[in-house]
Amino acid sequence: MTSSFMRNALIGGTLVPIAAGVIGDFVVVRGTACAAQALGHVGLPGAPGAGLLGLPVTLGLAVFCVGGAIVIGALGRRRAGDREVATGTVLAFAVGLGLYFSSQATRSSSTMTNVLFGNLLAISPQELIVFAAFLVGVVAVVCAVFRPLLFASVDERVARSRRVPVRALSVLFMVLLGLVVTMSVQVVGTLLLFALVVTPAATAIMLTPRPGRAIALALVLNLLSVWAGLVLATMFSLPPSFCIVTIACTIWLVVRLTGRSRQVQL
């Protein structure tokens, strides 16, 4: 792994799994797994849109992922299906807009393929700088609001009665999720996003009820999946996204079949 693109892939394959591991536990506990998957598709028009304007693809993805996250977080509530309606509405509009942008772009086929399926080997040094900044921001904010965010995630009603700013935390969390999705899309793509952001966290929660330990374990599982997937892809000339997702899903299946679910403890 001495070539520059392999070094970039390895660095990107370290930054992104750490961010996904930090946020994934909250995604599972809050029941926002579908929203996480939807945000990947919400970011779809960002790639061809950025191409039309001559802007970096990462910027386009971030604008749509974070923008969609803010709308979902502000309008969607857990009760009465509000979150599902808000998520579905934002998703439908974004996919339609992505179709329009793609029809206007003349050289969007490779870009759209990378967004749909990811391309870890195509990460640039500039994108690594952006990923590092996103990671620092995500970790810093999660550390700052860890206890109230966990409280609101486990029992929103009680947290609201204790005057925890549930709505503000919801919007803040969705923004963080939007940043993580922006990073993850470029590793595994929108269609395989679930396996990086949600599956390792779900696996970790089945193994330990402690949030701190679950986050640490999810982080380790993410890194293992990405690093091992990158090695296998290099050895056997396979798509990295396929290898990463296969490893993550296999670990989840083994734990699911042999372990038992745990309850989250505050």
Side-chain angles (χ1 to χ4, degrees), residues 16-203:
V16 178
I18 292 175
V22 168
I23 208 74
D25 182 75
F26 292 101
V27 172
V28 176
V29 174
R30 294 176 63 87
T32 54
C34 290
Q37 180 67 42
L39 281 179
H41 296 281
V42 169
L44 191 63
L52 287 173
L53 297 175
L55 299 173
V57 171
T58 302
L59 177 60
L61 288 171
V63 168
F64 278 88
C65 286
V66 174
I70 292 174
V71 174
I72 294 171
L75 299 181
R77 296 181 179 179
R78 293 189 187 187
R79 62 179 182 270
D82 286 350
R83 175 177 295 161
E84 288 75 13
V85 172
T87 301
T89 301
V90 173
L91 173 61
F93 175 74
V95 172
L97 194 61
L99 178 61
Y100 170 74
F101 285 161
S102 296
S103 68
Q104 299 300 308
T106 57
R107 299 180 180 179
S108 63
S109 58
S110 61
T111 299
M112 290 300 293
T113 300
N114 289 343
V115 171
L116 289 174
F117 300 103
N119 190 354
L120 183 58
L121 300 178
I123 293 179
S124 67
Q126 292 75 20
E127 288 172 330
L128 292 180
I129 296 175
V130 175
F131 288 178
F134 283 0
L135 175 60
V136 171
V138 168
V139 172
V141 174
V142 169
C143 289
V145 301
F146 182 83
R147 292 292 297 181
L149 179 60
L150 181 62
F151 191 10
S153 301
V154 173
D155 197 327
E156 180 179 322
R157 182 177 300 178
V158 176
R160 196 182 299 275
S161 68
R162 298 288 182 86
R163 298 186 178 180
V164 175
V166 174
R167 176 55 64 87
L169 286 172
S170 176
V171 174
L172 177 61
F173 170 76
M174 291 302 296
V175 170
L176 296 179
L177 181 57
L179 294 177
V180 172
V181 167
T182 299
M183 301 167 65
S184 301
V185 161
Q186 299 184 70
V187 176
V188 293
T190 60
L191 299 181
L192 306 176
L193 178 70
F194 201 94
L196 186 64
V197 176
V198 178
T199 302
T203 304

